[in-house]
Amino acid sequence: MAEPMKIRASLKGDTAEIKCLMNHVMETGLRKDAKSGTVVPAHHITNVTCELGGKQVMDAQWGGGISKNPYLAIRVKGAKVGDKVVVSWVDNTGDKNTGEATVA
Amino acid sequence: MNTMRRAVLKGAGGAGIVSVAVAAGILKPAAVYAAAWNKAGFESKDLGGALGAIGAGDASPSGDISVKAPDIAENGAVVPVEIISSVAGTESIAIIGEKNALPLIAVFNMMNGAEGYVSTRIKMGATSNVLAVVKAGGKTYKAHKEVKVTIGGCGG
């Protein structure tokens, strides 16, 4: 189910703006299915990490309050063209995904 | 008797999933999750509990944090939010939807040159404040922006 994520990293000065689009249903565990009326179990990303040039620059914890198919952008100083960006996530069912890009 | 047995089995199954998730995390050395998931915070149903769980009960208002969000969100399921913290030495940014069923939305820890900047999209169940809590140098700061929601995004 883990579809590839889209990552863009563009350099402005010495700051890289890393933008990322992930594919995930992000179910809160509160929503009821319209047809059956049963509660849809929680299924959302819990942890996201980002590395730039081999160094971890961000780790995040998420609840179900992040929108479906999450978008995330962060800015990191001291980056240069060609640095490798790695974004990884894990969800509450143990599913996980990793995407890579290079700073352009 | 049978219901008891079910409950035990269910409990064991749940623990199994967690341990598999942990093992999967350990097997991948590139991703180091500094902190596990703040279960107490993310499952807290009231604002006070959520703030307490992230150690922000006494956060002081700060003008150095900017919360950018639309004044009116037509669709509460997708509310773009941008948080810029110019507090020196910003270590983490938490996003909270004050009137959401589960207020704590996300906590971002920044390190190794990452700026106090996060842009993402959140769900909002009702018109309320989007609260940003920033940790820097052992202190917590907060700022907020009200977003009017015309259609809820939390399965209402």
Side-chain angles (χ1 to χ4, degrees), chain A residues 27-58:
Chain A
E27 281 293 351
T28 56
L30 304 170
R31 193 174 70 87
K32 281 184 180 159
D33 186 83
K35 279 183 195 159
S36 63
T38 52
V39 175
V40 180
H43 184 202
H44 58 80
I45 293 174
T46 55
N47 295 77
V48 184
T49 58
C50 179
E51 280 176 31
L52 176 74
K55 279 197 292 185
Q56 188 171 21
V57 291
M58 185 210 75

mmCIF file of all heavy atoms in Angstrom, chain A residues 27-58:
data_model
loop_
_atom_site.group_PDB
_atom_site.id
_atom_site.type_symbol
_atom_site.label_atom_id
_atom_site.label_comp_id
_atom_site.label_asym_id
_atom_site.label_seq_id
_atom_site.Cartn_x
_atom_site.Cartn_y
_atom_site.Cartn_z
ATOM 1 N N GLU A 27 -6.320 7.928 8.814
ATOM 2 C CA GLU A 27 -7.584 7.747 9.548
ATOM 3 C C GLU A 27 -7.358 8.047 11.027
ATOM 4 O O GLU A 27 -6.441 7.520 11.646
ATOM 5 C CB GLU A 27 -8.088 6.302 9.395
ATOM 6 C CG GLU A 27 -8.783 6.018 8.070
ATOM 7 C CD GLU A 27 -10.102 6.752 7.915
ATOM 8 O OE1 GLU A 27 -10.584 7.349 8.889
ATOM 9 O OE2 GLU A 27 -10.626 6.737 6.791
ATOM 10 N N THR A 28 -8.245 8.874 11.598
ATOM 11 C CA THR A 28 -8.062 9.269 12.991
ATOM 12 C C THR A 28 -8.494 8.181 13.976
ATOM 13 O O THR A 28 -8.081 8.181 15.120
ATOM 14 C CB THR A 28 -8.927 10.501 13.311
ATOM 15 O OG1 THR A 28 -10.282 10.189 12.995
ATOM 16 C CG2 THR A 28 -8.487 11.700 12.514
ATOM 17 N N GLY A 29 -9.372 7.287 13.522
ATOM 18 C CA GLY A 29 -9.941 6.312 14.439
ATOM 19 C C GLY A 29 -11.238 6.819 15.053
ATOM 20 O O GLY A 29 -11.824 6.171 15.916
ATOM 21 N N LEU A 30 -11.695 7.990 14.613
ATOM 22 C CA LEU A 30 -12.928 8.579 15.151
ATOM 23 C C LEU A 30 -14.050 8.563 14.121
ATOM 24 O O LEU A 30 -15.221 8.649 14.461
ATOM 25 C CB LEU A 30 -12.684 10.036 15.575
ATOM 26 C CG LEU A 30 -11.568 10.273 16.574
ATOM 27 C CD1 LEU A 30 -11.283 11.764 16.707
ATOM 28 C CD2 LEU A 30 -11.941 9.696 17.923
ATOM 29 N N ARG A 31 -13.665 8.459 12.849
ATOM 30 C CA ARG A 31 -14.646 8.576 11.775
ATOM 31 C C ARG A 31 -15.486 7.303 11.652
ATOM 32 O O ARG A 31 -14.973 6.198 11.805
ATOM 33 C CB ARG A 31 -13.906 8.806 10.461
ATOM 34 C CG ARG A 31 -14.755 9.243 9.308
ATOM 35 C CD ARG A 31 -13.862 9.581 8.126
ATOM 36 N NE ARG A 31 -13.240 8.376 7.557
ATOM 37 C CZ ARG A 31 -13.805 7.622 6.625
ATOM 38 N NH1 ARG A 31 -14.995 7.944 6.127
ATOM 39 N NH2 ARG A 31 -13.202 6.553 6.147
ATOM 40 N N LYS A 32 -16.772 7.492 11.365
ATOM 41 C CA LYS A 32 -17.634 6.333 11.143
ATOM 42 C C LYS A 32 -17.826 6.129 9.657
ATOM 43 O O LYS A 32 -17.988 7.084 8.911
ATOM 44 C CB LYS A 32 -18.989 6.546 11.821
ATOM 45 C CG LYS A 32 -18.937 6.282 13.306
ATOM 46 C CD LYS A 32 -20.312 6.398 13.930
ATOM 47 C CE LYS A 32 -20.221 6.138 15.421
ATOM 48 N NZ LYS A 32 -21.357 6.704 16.129
ATOM 49 N N ASP A 33 -17.827 4.879 9.255
ATOM 50 C CA ASP A 33 -18.064 4.549 7.864
ATOM 51 C C ASP A 33 -19.519 4.887 7.525
ATOM 52 O O ASP A 33 -20.440 4.519 8.252
ATOM 53 C CB ASP A 33 -17.804 3.066 7.633
ATOM 54 C CG ASP A 33 -17.891 2.710 6.168
ATOM 55 O OD1 ASP A 33 -16.887 2.908 5.469
ATOM 56 O OD2 ASP A 33 -18.966 2.261 5.728
ATOM 57 N N ALA A 34 -19.719 5.597 6.432
ATOM 58 C CA ALA A 34 -21.055 6.089 6.097
ATOM 59 C C ALA A 34 -22.041 4.953 5.850
ATOM 60 O O ALA A 34 -23.213 5.054 6.180
ATOM 61 C CB ALA A 34 -20.971 6.991 4.872
ATOM 62 N N LYS A 35 -21.559 3.865 5.279
ATOM 63 C CA LYS A 35 -22.459 2.755 4.940
ATOM 64 C C LYS A 35 -22.753 1.870 6.138
ATOM 65 O O LYS A 35 -23.891 1.609 6.473
ATOM 66 C CB LYS A 35 -21.842 1.905 3.821
ATOM 67 C CG LYS A 35 -22.063 2.505 2.454
ATOM 68 C CD LYS A 35 -21.500 1.599 1.378
ATOM 69 C CE LYS A 35 -21.400 2.353 0.065
ATOM 70 N NZ LYS A 35 -20.441 1.741 -0.842
ATOM 71 N N SER A 36 -21.719 1.372 6.776
ATOM 72 C CA SER A 36 -21.914 0.376 7.828
ATOM 73 C C SER A 36 -22.134 1.006 9.204
ATOM 74 O O SER A 36 -22.669 0.350 10.102
ATOM 75 C CB SER A 36 -20.721 -0.567 7.889
ATOM 76 O OG SER A 36 -19.560 0.166 8.234
ATOM 77 N N GLY A 37 -21.730 2.257 9.375
ATOM 78 C CA GLY A 37 -21.901 2.912 10.662
ATOM 79 C C GLY A 37 -20.890 2.488 11.711
ATOM 80 O O GLY A 37 -20.959 2.895 12.856
ATOM 81 N N THR A 38 -19.949 1.650 11.306
ATOM 82 C CA THR A 38 -18.920 1.231 12.260
ATOM 83 C C THR A 38 -17.760 2.212 12.223
ATOM 84 O O THR A 38 -17.525 2.871 11.202
ATOM 85 C CB THR A 38 -18.384 -0.175 11.922
ATOM 86 O OG1 THR A 38 -17.993 -0.170 10.561
ATOM 87 C CG2 THR A 38 -19.439 -1.232 12.163
ATOM 88 N N VAL A 39 -17.052 2.300 13.338
ATOM 89 C CA VAL A 39 -15.922 3.220 13.418
ATOM 90 C C VAL A 39 -14.764 2.676 12.585
ATOM 91 O O VAL A 39 -14.420 1.498 12.672
ATOM 92 C CB VAL A 39 -15.487 3.402 14.889
ATOM 93 C CG1 VAL A 39 -14.232 4.249 14.969
ATOM 94 C CG2 VAL A 39 -16.604 4.038 15.692
ATOM 95 N N VAL A 40 -14.205 3.535 11.753
ATOM 96 C CA VAL A 40 -13.055 3.145 10.948
ATOM 97 C C VAL A 40 -11.822 3.176 11.861
ATOM 98 O O VAL A 40 -11.558 4.188 12.503
ATOM 99 C CB VAL A 40 -12.858 4.122 9.767
ATOM 100 C CG1 VAL A 40 -11.667 3.725 8.921
ATOM 101 C CG2 VAL A 40 -14.113 4.176 8.914
ATOM 102 N N PRO A 41 -11.090 2.063 11.967
ATOM 103 C CA PRO A 41 -9.953 2.047 12.906
ATOM 104 C C PRO A 41 -8.881 3.063 12.543
ATOM 105 O O PRO A 41 -8.699 3.400 11.371
ATOM 106 C CB PRO A 41 -9.407 0.620 12.799
ATOM 107 C CG PRO A 41 -10.188 -0.079 11.774
ATOM 108 C CD PRO A 41 -11.266 0.804 11.252
ATOM 109 N N ALA A 42 -8.170 3.529 13.551
ATOM 110 C CA ALA A 42 -7.102 4.501 13.332
ATOM 111 C C ALA A 42 -6.026 3.891 12.443
ATOM 112 O O ALA A 42 -5.647 2.738 12.606
ATOM 113 C CB ALA A 42 -6.496 4.916 14.671
ATOM 114 N N HIS A 43 -5.584 4.654 11.472
ATOM 115 C CA HIS A 43 -4.508 4.228 10.586
ATOM 116 C C HIS A 43 -3.822 5.490 10.093
ATOM 117 O O HIS A 43 -4.260 6.132 9.145
ATOM 118 C CB HIS A 43 -5.080 3.413 9.412
ATOM 119 C CG HIS A 43 -4.015 2.860 8.520
ATOM 120 N ND1 HIS A 43 -4.240 2.488 7.229
ATOM 121 C CD2 HIS A 43 -2.703 2.627 8.745
ATOM 122 C CE1 HIS A 43 -3.112 2.051 6.682
ATOM 123 N NE2 HIS A 43 -2.164 2.123 7.591
ATOM 124 N N HIS A 44 -2.794 5.886 10.803
ATOM 125 C CA HIS A 44 -2.133 7.129 10.437
ATOM 126 C C HIS A 44 -0.638 7.037 10.696
ATOM 127 O O HIS A 44 -0.170 6.193 11.465
ATOM 128 C CB HIS A 44 -2.733 8.313 11.216
ATOM 129 C CG HIS A 44 -2.642 8.166 12.704
ATOM 130 N ND1 HIS A 44 -1.484 8.445 13.386
ATOM 131 C CD2 HIS A 44 -3.536 7.755 13.625
ATOM 132 C CE1 HIS A 44 -1.692 8.217 14.676
ATOM 133 N NE2 HIS A 44 -2.920 7.797 14.853
ATOM 134 N N ILE A 45 0.102 7.923 10.056
ATOM 135 C CA ILE A 45 1.548 7.989 10.243
ATOM 136 C C ILE A 45 1.837 8.464 11.669
ATOM 137 O O ILE A 45 1.176 9.370 12.173
ATOM 138 C CB ILE A 45 2.163 8.950 9.199
ATOM 139 C CG1 ILE A 45 2.004 8.353 7.791
ATOM 140 C CG2 ILE A 45 3.632 9.236 9.507
ATOM 141 C CD1 ILE A 45 2.439 9.269 6.670
ATOM 142 N N THR A 46 2.779 7.821 12.339
ATOM 143 C CA THR A 46 3.117 8.231 13.703
ATOM 144 C C THR A 46 4.478 8.925 13.776
ATOM 145 O O THR A 46 4.677 9.805 14.590
ATOM 146 C CB THR A 46 3.138 7.028 14.666
ATOM 147 O OG1 THR A 46 4.022 6.039 14.142
ATOM 148 C CG2 THR A 46 1.755 6.434 14.828
ATOM 149 N N ASN A 47 5.412 8.495 12.951
ATOM 150 C CA ASN A 47 6.747 9.080 13.022
ATOM 151 C C ASN A 47 7.278 9.384 11.629
ATOM 152 O O ASN A 47 7.152 8.568 10.724
ATOM 153 C CB ASN A 47 7.731 8.132 13.708
ATOM 154 C CG ASN A 47 7.375 7.893 15.166
ATOM 155 O OD1 ASN A 47 6.468 7.137 15.459
ATOM 156 N ND2 ASN A 47 8.067 8.567 16.070
ATOM 157 N N VAL A 48 7.883 10.562 11.488
ATOM 158 C CA VAL A 48 8.492 10.963 10.225
ATOM 159 C C VAL A 48 9.897 11.453 10.528
ATOM 160 O O VAL A 48 10.099 12.192 11.494
ATOM 161 C CB VAL A 48 7.704 12.110 9.558
ATOM 162 C CG1 VAL A 48 8.300 12.448 8.195
ATOM 163 C CG2 VAL A 48 6.242 11.771 9.436
ATOM 164 N N THR A 49 10.860 11.020 9.727
ATOM 165 C CA THR A 49 12.211 11.542 9.912
ATOM 166 C C THR A 49 12.714 12.077 8.587
ATOM 167 O O THR A 49 12.286 11.642 7.518
ATOM 168 C CB THR A 49 13.212 10.475 10.389
ATOM 169 O OG1 THR A 49 13.226 9.428 9.425
ATOM 170 C CG2 THR A 49 12.839 9.917 11.745
ATOM 171 N N CYS A 50 13.622 13.032 8.680
ATOM 172 C CA CYS A 50 14.234 13.591 7.478
ATOM 173 C C CYS A 50 15.729 13.719 7.696
ATOM 174 O O CYS A 50 16.177 14.194 8.736
ATOM 175 C CB CYS A 50 13.616 14.945 7.164
ATOM 176 S SG CYS A 50 14.350 15.710 5.717
ATOM 177 N N GLU A 51 16.491 13.257 6.700
ATOM 178 C CA GLU A 51 17.947 13.383 6.740
ATOM 179 C C GLU A 51 18.395 14.233 5.565
ATOM 180 O O GLU A 51 17.826 14.152 4.483
ATOM 181 C CB GLU A 51 18.603 12.009 6.575
ATOM 182 C CG GLU A 51 18.647 11.176 7.818
ATOM 183 C CD GLU A 51 19.234 9.807 7.517
ATOM 184 O OE1 GLU A 51 20.085 9.713 6.607
ATOM 185 O OE2 GLU A 51 18.817 8.848 8.176
ATOM 186 N N LEU A 52 19.422 15.024 5.807
ATOM 187 C CA LEU A 52 20.026 15.807 4.724
ATOM 188 C C LEU A 52 21.523 15.572 4.775
ATOM 189 O O LEU A 52 22.152 15.803 5.808
ATOM 190 C CB LEU A 52 19.704 17.295 4.908
ATOM 191 C CG LEU A 52 20.356 18.232 3.901
ATOM 192 C CD1 LEU A 52 19.682 18.138 2.546
ATOM 193 C CD2 LEU A 52 20.315 19.665 4.390
ATOM 194 N N GLY A 53 22.081 15.102 3.662
ATOM 195 C CA GLY A 53 23.515 14.840 3.598
ATOM 196 C C GLY A 53 23.992 13.900 4.692
ATOM 197 O O GLY A 53 25.065 14.074 5.257
ATOM 198 N N GLY A 54 23.167 12.896 5.037
ATOM 199 C CA GLY A 54 23.570 11.887 6.010
ATOM 200 C C GLY A 54 23.315 12.273 7.456
ATOM 201 O O GLY A 54 23.523 11.474 8.360
ATOM 202 N N LYS A 55 22.877 13.529 7.685
ATOM 203 C CA LYS A 55 22.604 13.947 9.065
ATOM 204 C C LYS A 55 21.105 14.107 9.267
ATOM 205 O O LYS A 55 20.409 14.668 8.426
ATOM 206 C CB LYS A 55 23.279 15.289 9.366
ATOM 207 C CG LYS A 55 24.750 15.161 9.711
ATOM 208 C CD LYS A 55 25.263 16.414 10.392
ATOM 209 C CE LYS A 55 25.302 17.615 9.469
ATOM 210 N NZ LYS A 55 25.911 18.790 10.084
ATOM 211 N N GLN A 56 20.620 13.627 10.388
ATOM 212 C CA GLN A 56 19.194 13.782 10.668
ATOM 213 C C GLN A 56 18.902 15.247 10.982
ATOM 214 O O GLN A 56 19.567 15.871 11.799
ATOM 215 C CB GLN A 56 18.801 12.904 11.847
ATOM 216 C CG GLN A 56 17.306 12.902 12.042
ATOM 217 C CD GLN A 56 16.855 11.876 13.066
ATOM 218 O OE1 GLN A 56 17.620 11.425 13.896
ATOM 219 N NE2 GLN A 56 15.594 11.531 12.999
ATOM 220 N N VAL A 57 17.917 15.818 10.305
ATOM 221 C CA VAL A 57 17.577 17.223 10.531
ATOM 222 C C VAL A 57 16.217 17.402 11.188
ATOM 223 O O VAL A 57 15.913 18.448 11.736
ATOM 224 C CB VAL A 57 17.629 18.048 9.222
ATOM 225 C CG1 VAL A 57 19.059 18.170 8.741
ATOM 226 C CG2 VAL A 57 16.740 17.452 8.153
ATOM 227 N N MET A 58 15.378 16.370 11.127
ATOM 228 C CA MET A 58 14.058 16.485 11.733
ATOM 229 C C MET A 58 13.540 15.113 12.118
ATOM 230 O O MET A 58 13.776 14.145 11.401
ATOM 231 C CB MET A 58 13.078 17.124 10.736
ATOM 232 C CG MET A 58 11.705 17.382 11.322
ATOM 233 S SD MET A 58 10.405 17.273 10.073
ATOM 234 C CE MET A 58 10.298 15.510 9.846
#
